[in-house]
Amino acid sequence: MRIVSLLPSATEIVCALGLRDELVGVTHECDWPPEVVGLPVMTSNALDLVGATSREINRRVGDAVHGGSAIYHLDEAALEAAIKDVLK
């Protein structure tokens, strides 16, 4: 089995179930448990939030969501590479 987790909480659940070795990709926000650090990252922020305050982040995310824009990017090439043998 190959698992790609697109939620930090799902990553924690996968590991709690003893399936860490099945994880082949995580989000850019996954940092727990420590064993997942270094796994291929499948997502990135769609918004430039560097240096933004909490208030600015909240506004930008709200504007994007209400405007129909994405707040994350999915790295389709990384996803395909992580599960390439499953797609054959």
Side-chain angles (χ1 to χ4, degrees), residues 69-81:
S69 298
I71 59 173
Y72 300 113
H73 290 296
L74 179 62
D75 184 341
E76 294 178 35
L79 180 60
E80 186 174 341

Side-chain angles (χ1 to χ4, degrees), residues 6-88:
L6 298 178
L7 290 169
S9 58
T11 301
E12 293 180 30
I13 291 168
V14 167
C15 292
L17 292 172
L19 299 172
R20 159 51 191 96
D21 291 341
E22 306 300 325
L23 271 174
V24 295
V26 294
T27 74
H28 65 286
E29 295 178 331
C30 291
D31 61 0
W32 189 262
E35 308 76 70
V36 304
V37 175
L39 285 172
V41 174
M42 304 290 148
T43 62
S44 62
N45 279 325
L47 305 173
D48 179 16
L49 302 175
V50 176
T53 65
S54 295
R55 180 175 294 208
E56 291 169 333
I57 292 170
N58 185 56
R59 183 187 55 75
R60 291 179 196 172
V61 168
D63 289 349
V65 169
H66 293 305
S69 298
I71 59 173
Y72 300 113
H73 290 296
L74 179 62
D75 184 341
E76 294 178 35
L79 180 60
E80 186 174 341
I83 61 172
K84 63 184 171 194
D85 63 331
V86 175
L87 298 176
K88 291 181 181 179

